[in-house]
Amino acid sequence: MAPRSQAKTAMRSMEQELQCPLCKGLVKQPILLPCQHNVCLQCASQLLVQNGYSDLSPEPNSPASTPNTRSPRQARRPIPKLDRTDRVLRAGSGTYPGRRRKEPPPLMVLFPCPLCQKDVELGERGLADCLRNLALERIVERYRNAVNLGGIAIMCQFCKPPQALESTKGCADCRANFCNECFKLYHPWGTPRAQHERVPPTLSFRPKDKITKGLNYVLSSQETVHTQLNQLKNAIAQTELNSASALEHLTRCMEELGVALAERKTELQQVVDGMRLKRGRALAAQLAERWSLLEHAGLLAFSQELLKETDPPCFLQAALPTHSRLLKAIESLQGFSLSPDPFLRHFQLDVTRELKLLSDMEFIAAPLAPVIDTQRTLAYDQLFLCWRMPQSSAPASRYAVEFQRRDGGIRGASWRGPHAWQRLEDVDGTSVVLNIREAGCVYALRVRGRNKAGFGEYSEEVYLHTPPAPVLSFSLDARWALHSDRLVFSKERRCVRSVPGLSLLQAADHTLTSCALTADLLVGSVAITQGRHYWACSVDPGSYLVKVGVGLEAKLQEWFLLPQDVPSPRYDPDSGHDSGAEDTLDGPPPFCFLTVGQGKLFLPQACLSSPSSPGAQPSGAPSSTVNHTLALPLPPRLGLCLDFDKGRVIYYDAQSLRPLWDGPVDCSGPICPAFCFIGGGALQLQEMVASRSAEQAPARKVTIHCKVPGFSK
């Protein structure tokens, strides 16, 4: 191994000396600069062009342009000298006798050497004055032949010495050589590294491999490019058509607004004209009345003459009617006022709100991303998704709900999994029920709104974990309720409340022994005889003590029928679990309960050691003769999963489906869900999601197919 390692180090050192300082690859057609450094001819030409010089590629007959087959002796052959006549003719052409033409100074070409970090003068002919380093070129050829013929073993760069193996393949992306085992280790299947380009083992990883791959892909995709060009042309034409349609729609809407404003203006003008005519008639009548007062001049003259009358009988006869007419005239003069108001103050328009609406008039925008309501969204017998729109969002007329099954849980979920996105289109409202009944799966859900402007953005994905077993639907059976006078049921019999009353006070002398008179026991309306089943309930945090679990139907019936002789499932303040193991010596216990009280959930850490109930305590818990409990905050919902075949009951936090505790139960007969109240409390069974689907219109379901890229870099 030592000689091979030394040879490998020597080859690496030799390869560095044979590399071009510009392209970092083995030199091709090397030329010797005046500073005695070598670069590729093509690299030097490109560098001069980048620095602003014109095409200074070597002339065909220059030493730097000789092919690989040219003899070195011929490359060093001197240029033939000019004879004296030629020199005289060339020197004197285009000049007067006795005078020499002033020639401009020659252009000096400066080449920035990457090794010297200085500008090197190449002369006025540029690279044509540089000689080609044929010796270095032949050394590079022999080095390449030695590597290709396998004369030098290329070792794996990832094997640990001294067990390093010879490499069998190289990776152009990693720029390293691997043996078979190391290549599989560092390029696992199904990862982006598995798409790396494989090349034979080499000591020079040039970028030409990636460029060739990309070029071949582009050349092979010419038909695709033409298709994309046609799509772009069609999109441009469609944009023009849609723009014209949008302008036409805008003009039509503005015309409709103008027509509506004109109609409303006519209506308001008619109202003003009607009021003007009405008040004009009233004022004209009052004007005529005022004119009539001017006609009372004869009355005044008659009254003056009447005062001159000396005959009393005649005066009395004419005085009474004259006095009445004078009183009416005086009353009319004193009580004068304009009957209608000539000012039309209440006929002024307030268009502030309308002007603001017009100034805020904008083109419709797509809705913003909805916000998922995580408090109401849940997974039970089916999936229920609820959301709301942000206040600043444009209204949405319909929604599209998408969901995808994620294998491997939430963390192991992948977009490129085998399950495609499913979509429910034309969803009306802000909630939807998804008919998914698979147990123990994780689903990703998202939603987006739609209006006339199109679809909006997606909401954030929410992950829902379906229950570990099919959901069991049942109600609370009131016929089995012990002390039913203290139990109040809801109409659907899914909610119950235990109200301590006179009977509990009468049994106060038995409360310390926890006899049957102090416990309110009721069971579910179903009995389980096989399979796995799951259900959930919520306990009022203000409840004193509530036991939630299962029990043998026969034992429960025996307890109901003879409550005074049969002890109840025992309650010990130091224990949060009652498995009934004390009542039997053989087999698992007939009951399995967890205790909830005062907003706490009591989990047993170590149960009574008993040879008949080895599974009543968590695995690894030490045996003890004293019960120890762990008090946890009460979850919003408590879930139970009964495995009838295995005789186990598992308790879950129904909101996160996190297992809390499991225990054994005797499944030799039908098993019933059971609940027990001590000291008052309330309990509610989880509502079935399927009951909400009847209120919603069915949505159209489609499958979304993802596009597979044809080329990966």
Side-chain angles (χ1 to χ4, degrees):
M1 287 296 177
R4 286 192 174 184
S5 178
Q6 294 177 359
K8 177 181 178 181
T9 305
M11 291 300 294
R12 286 184 178 178
S13 177
M14 182 178 180
E15 181 182 0
Q16 294 178 358
E17 296 178 359
L18 300 179
Q19 288 181 351
C20 172
L22 294 177
C23 65
K24 303 302 181 182
L26 296 178
V27 291
K28 290 185 177 181
Q29 298 181 1
I31 58 174
L32 184 63
L33 300 175
C35 59
Q36 303 304 314
H37 291 138
N38 298 275
V39 293
C40 296
L41 176 61
Q42 188 67 22
C43 297
S45 300
Q46 295 178 357
L47 182 59
L48 288 178
V49 172
Q50 293 175 1
N51 290 342
Y53 293 99
S54 59
D55 189 7
L56 297 176
S57 58
E59 300 176 359
N61 295 329
S62 66
S65 65
T66 54
N68 296 336
T69 58
R70 184 173 177 177
S71 172
R73 186 175 301 173
Q74 185 179 359
R76 294 190 297 271
R77 184 176 300 172
I79 301 176
K81 296 183 179 180
L82 298 176
D83 55 6
R84 185 173 181 276
T85 305
D86 294 334
R87 289 200 302 273
V88 171
L89 292 176
R90 182 169 299 181
S93 61
T95 61
Y96 292 100
R99 299 178 60 185
R100 294 185 59 85
R101 179 169 55 91
K102 293 183 179 180
E103 298 180 355
L107 177 65
M108 302 301 295
V109 179
L110 299 179
F111 182 84
C113 179
L115 297 178
C116 298
Q117 300 295 326
K118 297 180 180 179
D119 293 338
V120 181
E121 295 184 0
L122 299 182
E124 58 180 325
R125 299 180 61 192
L127 297 177
D129 291 337
C130 298
L131 296 178
R132 188 166 174 177
N133 196 340
L134 298 179
L136 179 60
E137 189 172 354
R138 283 180 171 78
I139 293 175
V140 172
E141 280 299 322
R142 288 197 299 270
Y143 173 80
R144 286 177 175 171
N145 293 335
V147 173
N148 294 334
L149 293 176
I152 300 177
I154 302 178
M155 309 305 295
C156 176
Q157 300 177 0
F158 296 88
C159 289
K160 296 182 180 180
Q163 291 83 13
L165 301 178
E166 184 175 351
S167 61
T168 58
K169 55 178 66 68
C171 179
D173 297 275
C174 300
R175 301 178 65 86
N177 298 302
F178 300 84
C179 63
N180 289 333
E181 297 299 327
C182 291
F183 189 87
K184 295 178 182 178
L185 179 63
Y186 288 93
H187 298 77
W189 185 85
T191 63
R193 284 180 171 266
Q195 306 299 328
H196 286 186
E197 181 182 3
R198 305 181 186 181
V199 296
T202 180
L203 297 178
S204 175
F205 292 95
R206 297 175 61 90
K208 177 181 177 182
D209 302 321
K210 287 187 176 181
I211 296 176
T212 303
K213 182 178 180 181
L215 181 62
N216 293 335
Y217 176 78
V218 172
L219 293 177
S220 62
S221 304
Q222 294 300 310
E223 185 177 354
T224 304
V225 173
H226 287 294
T227 303
Q228 294 174 354
L229 289 175
N230 294 333
Q231 291 179 356
L232 291 174
K233 293 179 181 178
N234 295 334
I236 293 174
Q238 193 67 27
T239 302
E240 296 295 332
L241 293 177
N242 293 337
S243 300
S245 177
L247 291 176
E248 181 181 356
H249 176 73
L250 175 62
T251 304
R252 184 170 61 253
C253 291
M254 291 300 176
E255 291 177 353
E256 292 177 357
L257 287 176
V259 171
L261 287 175
E263 293 178 354
R264 187 57 179 166
K265 178 183 177 182
T266 303
E267 294 176 359
L268 295 177
Q269 285 179 347
Q270 292 176 357
V271 173
V272 174
D273 291 340
M275 183 57 63
R276 177 181 58 83
L277 295 175
K278 180 179 179 181
R279 294 193 177 186
R281 287 192 296 266
L283 290 174
Q286 195 173 12
L287 179 62
E289 183 180 355
R290 296 299 100 182
W291 278 110
S292 65
L293 293 178
L294 296 178
E295 299 176 355
H296 291 171
L299 176 62
L300 297 178
F302 178 78
S303 299
Q304 292 175 358
E305 292 295 330
L306 181 61
L307 293 176
K308 297 177 182 180
E309 181 65 41
T310 58
D311 187 6
C314 293
F315 177 80
L316 293 175
Q317 184 179 1
L320 184 60
T322 302
H323 185 262
S324 299
R325 293 177 63 186
L326 287 174
L327 289 178
K328 290 182 179 179
I330 293 172
E331 183 181 359
S332 177
L333 289 173
Q334 292 178 351
F336 173 77
S337 64
L338 297 176
S339 57
D341 187 4
F343 300 100
L344 304 180
R345 296 182 180 88
H346 59 285
F347 284 91
Q348 301 294 323
L349 289 179
D350 183 9
V351 294
T352 304
R353 182 171 58 89
E354 288 74 12
L355 290 177
K356 188 177 184 306
L357 291 176
L358 290 176
S359 62
D360 295 341
M361 184 184 301
E362 293 288 348
F363 294 103
I364 58 175
L368 297 179
V371 179
I372 302 297
D373 188 353
T374 56
Q375 299 297 326
R376 300 179 57 190
T377 299
L378 58 91
Y380 196 50
D381 56 313
Q382 296 178 2
L383 302 185
F384 179 72
L385 180 64
C386 184
W387 64 90
R388 59 178 176 82
M389 295 300 297
Q391 294 182 355
S392 59
S393 172
S397 58
R398 290 289 186 274
Y399 297 92
V401 178
E402 298 181 4
F403 58 96
Q404 182 191 43
R405 178 178 174 180
R406 300 291 181 90
D407 293 333
I410 296 178
R411 294 185 179 180
S414 174
W415 277 91
R416 295 180 292 180
H419 304 285
W421 282 96
Q422 306 290 324
R423 177 188 296 169
L424 292 180
E425 294 184 343
D426 299 332
V427 177
D428 189 10
T430 57
S431 63
V432 68
V433 175
L434 303 177
N435 187 12
I436 297 177
R437 302 179 183 272
E438 296 178 277
C441 299
V442 176
Y443 281 87
L445 298 94
R446 61 187 184 185
V447 62
R448 60 175 177 172
R450 186 189 67 181
N451 55 17
K452 293 183 179 180
F455 281 102
E457 300 177 356
Y458 282 105
S459 66
E460 294 185 1
E461 292 184 7
V462 60
Y463 297 91
L464 295 181
H465 201 305
T466 59
V471 176
L472 181 66
S473 177
F474 63 92
S475 60
L476 300 174
D477 195 346
R479 296 174 300 174
W480 277 42
L482 185 61
H483 302 146
S484 58
D485 57 331
R486 298 201 297 254
L487 298 177
V488 179
F489 293 88
S490 64
K491 182 179 180 180
E492 299 82 8
R493 298 195 177 277
R494 301 188 63 85
C495 304
V496 63
R497 177 175 294 275
S498 174
V499 182
L502 182 61
S503 58
L504 182 60
L505 295 177
Q506 293 174 349
D509 55 336
H510 302 288
T511 54
L512 295 179
T513 60
S514 182
C515 70
L517 293 177
T518 63
D520 302 333
L521 182 66
L522 69 160
V523 298
S525 59
V526 297
I528 303 171
T529 58
Q530 62 179 357
R532 300 175 72 246
H533 302 275
Y534 176 86
W535 64 92
C537 64
S538 57
V539 180
D540 186 0
S543 302
Y544 183 67
L545 285 179
V546 179
K547 288 180 175 290
V548 180
V550 296
L552 272 176
E553 184 181 21
K555 289 290 184 179
L556 293 174
Q557 288 181 350
E558 182 180 356
W559 191 22
F560 281 132
L561 295 176
L562 300 173
Q564 65 277 11
D565 298 330
V566 180
S568 68
R570 288 185 176 87
Y571 165 67
D572 191 337
D574 296 332
S575 174
H577 169 67
D578 182 6
S579 62
E582 300 87 347
D583 300 333
T584 179
L585 297 177
D586 299 328
F591 306 109
C592 185
F593 289 94
L594 274 187
T595 302
V596 177
Q598 298 298 312
K600 299 291 183 179
L601 176 64
F602 300 96
L603 300 180
Q605 291 182 327
C607 299
L608 288 173
S609 57
S610 173
S612 61
S613 58
Q617 60 186 15
S619 60
S623 299
S624 175
T625 58
V626 180
N627 289 347
H628 300 283
T629 59
L630 175 64
L632 297 179
L634 178 64
R637 298 190 306 274
L638 187 64
L640 287 81
C641 181
L642 172 64
D643 192 336
F644 187 88
D645 300 331
K646 295 183 179 180
R648 305 290 297 183
V649 178
I650 306 176
Y651 291 82
Y652 292 89
D653 181 349
Q655 190 168 3
S656 61
L657 283 181
R658 177 173 60 92
L660 299 176
W661 189 84
D662 70 287
V665 66
D666 185 8
C667 294
S668 59
I671 297 292
C672 294
F675 309 93
C676 182
F677 295 94
I678 300 177
L683 178 141
Q684 179 179 0
L685 298 178
Q686 177 67 44
E687 181 184 1
M688 302 294 287
V689 178
S691 60
R692 309 181 185 179
S693 60
E695 304 175 358
Q696 299 180 354
R700 187 164 57 94
K701 182 178 179 180
V702 297
T703 302
I704 305 173
H705 298 283
C706 300
K707 295 183 179 179
V708 180
F711 174 72
S712 61
K713 295 184 179 180

